[in-house]
Amino acid sequence: MRDAVDGISDQWARALPDLDVTPMHVVGRLSRASRLLERGIKDHLAARDLEPWEFDSLLTLLRSNPEHTMCMKDVTAAMLVSPATLTNRMDRLVERGLVTRSQAPGNRRMVLVTLTDEGARLATEIVYSHVANERRMLDALDPAEQELLAGLLRKLLHSLGDG
Amino acid sequence: MRDAVDGISDQWARALPDLDVTPMHVVGRLSRASRLLERGIKDHLAARDLEPWEFDSLLTLLRSNPEHTMCMKDVTAAMLVSPATLTNRMDRLVERGLVTRSQAPGNRRMVLVTLTDEGARLATEIVYSHVANERRMLDALDPAEQELLAGLLRKLLHSLGDG
DNA sequence: GTCGAAAGATTCGATGTCGAAAGGTTGGGT
DNA sequence: ACCCAACCTTTCGACATCGAATCTTTCGAC
């Protein structure tokens, strides 16, 4: 069973025989798998009129705490995006009525964002089918393989500073 | 040894106890690992005044065949980007003198792109340190673990249609 | 108290990406 | 011969993202 990266590896063996491309076997596949999964998620959400970034935002707040409230800085860290991007995203979620902005009591530098009732309802409603969609995309791996894969990735992530 | 996804998993257990988030253990980590690796690659290339998309383009042509020539369609498939994006990318690589455009003999629908001597020289010069950088980022996993990880990802990619 | 540095969010400008539409080319069916 | 559907690339418009600069607020040093 060969995949696209096997083909790329063969090409390198012909083009630069002295280049050891072993690291690409992992990095290349991680990159491609991530993009293909992202595409599958996007397609699933499109049927519900949601962009991936909108859904990510809602889920981040939904799981944060019972009040569904976070400050901008913490959201940027959780979502791995720049502050500028987050300001823009929250602007549009506020416009759609899924999120509200407010001042943090005791520290006027911070801005708090909170899910509205509709935002929480929408996120809760969709997260189940979203996870089901992810499960379907991982079907090729049995539970033991998925656990093994998750464990290896955890080790890698830890070394990359994602703790 | 816990990572960020373990923390997210805990949050879900508190927020929606009846939601089985097992698929996120894999999908979430794949997504985060891919983004962190991409960041490391970007930083490494920035020191050489190259953007990741420029480097990807050069490598795709370098390994393609001894003539370093491909048609646009094949490049889009290899790089997983839209045709519109590729036209834009090749425009700028031609401007930088790293790539040339030409008509395919016998089929005027196709446009061929070819590495210039400087493009091939630049790509060949940088690919070695690039792979070394990837190897360094994977250091936390020993060779057997890397092979195991690559094998699991291959199986997943194959089922996602990346053959 | 006051000043200066650091923290946090926003604005601004530039850029990269995509989807849809358009333009030219090819080949098959009749 | 001709047409039409499929193919390949490019153009166009919309939009998301980021880095750098800006603005306000906070906190510590003195």
Side-chain angles (χ1 to χ4, degrees), chain A residues 53 81-82 84-85 88-89 92 107-109:
Chain A
W53 67 262
V81 296
S82 71
T85 296
N88 184 22
R89 288 184 175 185
R92 279 170 292 159
N107 191 340
R108 284 174 299 175
R109 279 178 302 187

Side-chain angles (χ1 to χ4, degrees), chain B residues 35-69:
Chain B
R35 294 183 73 163
L36 293 176
L37 289 171
E38 180 74 22
R39 195 169 298 181
I41 291 169
K42 181 185 171 115
D43 291 344
H44 173 257
L45 292 177
R48 279 87 178 160
D49 273 314
L50 273 181
E51 296 294 325
W53 67 262
E54 294 178 302
F55 191 55
D56 274 345
S57 304
L58 298 183
L59 291 200
T60 299
L61 290 171
L62 183 65
R63 70 172 184 259
S64 63
N65 52 54
E67 295 77 30
H68 303 150
T69 295

Side-chain angles (χ1 to χ4, degrees), chain A residues 59-81:
Chain A
L59 291 201
T60 299
L61 290 170
L62 183 66
R63 69 171 184 260
S64 63
N65 53 53
E67 295 78 29
H68 304 150
T69 296
M70 296 176 75
C71 70
M72 297 286 280
K73 179 186 191 305
D74 288 347
V75 181
T76 63
M79 299 183 65
L80 300 179
V81 296

Side-chain angles (χ1 to χ4, degrees), chain A residues 12-162:
Chain A
W12 282 121
R14 279 192 292 271
L16 292 177
D18 68 329
L19 179 66
D20 174 13
V21 297
T22 309
M24 290 188 185
H25 295 174
V26 171
V27 178
R29 286 189 176 93
L30 267 172
S31 168
R32 295 181 82 90
S34 177
R35 295 183 72 163
L36 293 177
L37 289 171
E38 181 74 23
R39 196 169 296 181
I41 292 169
K42 182 184 169 112
D43 291 344
H44 173 257
L45 292 176
R48 278 87 178 161
D49 272 313
L50 273 181
E51 297 294 324
W53 67 262
E54 294 178 301
F55 190 55
D56 274 345
S57 304
L58 298 183
L59 291 201
T60 299
L61 290 170
L62 183 66
R63 69 171 184 260
S64 63
N65 53 53
E67 295 78 29
H68 304 150
T69 296
M70 296 176 75
C71 70
M72 297 286 280
K73 179 186 191 305
D74 288 347
V75 181
T76 63
M79 299 183 65
L80 300 179
V81 296
S82 71
T85 296
L86 195 68
T87 293
N88 184 22
R89 288 184 175 185
M90 289 304 154
D91 282 350
R92 279 170 292 159
L93 288 177
V94 169
E95 232 171 288
R96 274 189 72 164
L98 302 175
V99 160
T100 59
R101 251 186 245 262
S102 60
Q103 289 277 348
N107 191 340
R108 284 174 299 175
R109 279 178 302 187
M110 291 186 186
V111 171
L112 301 182
V113 287
T114 306
L115 281 187
T116 63
D117 288 347
E118 184 186 345
R121 182 194 59 69
L122 182 61
T124 306
E125 176 188 318
I126 298 183
V127 67
Y128 290 95
S129 70
H130 166 72
V131 172
N133 180 48
E134 288 188 343
R135 186 177 294 110
R136 186 186 53 72
M137 291 194 291
L138 298 177
D139 248 357
L141 303 178
D142 64 43
E145 287 173 325
Q146 292 187 27
E147 198 175 337
L148 188 56
L149 178 53
L152 290 165
L153 290 173
R154 179 194 286 114
K155 194 168 178 178
L156 175 60
L157 278 169
H158 195 76
S159 83
L160 293 175
D162 195 51

Side-chain angles (χ1 to χ4, degrees), chain B residues 56-155:
Chain B
D56 274 345
S57 304
L58 298 183
L59 291 200
T60 299
L61 290 171
L62 183 65
R63 70 172 184 259
S64 63
N65 52 54
E67 295 77 30
H68 303 150
T69 295
M70 297 175 75
C71 69
M72 297 287 279
K73 179 186 193 301
D74 289 346
V75 181
T76 63
M79 299 183 66
L80 300 180
V81 296
S82 71
T85 297
L86 195 69
T87 293
N88 183 22
R89 288 184 175 185
M90 288 304 154
D91 283 348
R92 278 170 293 160
L93 289 177
V94 168
E95 231 170 291
R96 275 189 72 165
L98 303 175
V99 160
T100 59
R101 253 186 242 263
S102 61
Q103 290 277 349
N107 191 340
R108 283 173 299 176
R109 279 178 300 188
M110 292 186 186
V111 171
L112 301 181
V113 286
T114 306
L115 280 187
T116 63
D117 288 346
E118 183 186 345
R121 184 194 58 70
L122 182 62
T124 305
E125 177 188 317
I126 298 183
V127 68
Y128 290 94
S129 70
H130 165 73
V131 173
N133 180 49
E134 288 188 343
R135 186 176 293 112
R136 185 187 54 73
M137 291 194 291
L138 298 178
D139 248 357
L141 302 178
D142 64 44
E145 287 173 325
Q146 292 187 28
E147 198 176 336
L148 188 56
L149 179 53
L152 290 167
L153 291 173
R154 180 195 286 114
K155 194 167 178 178

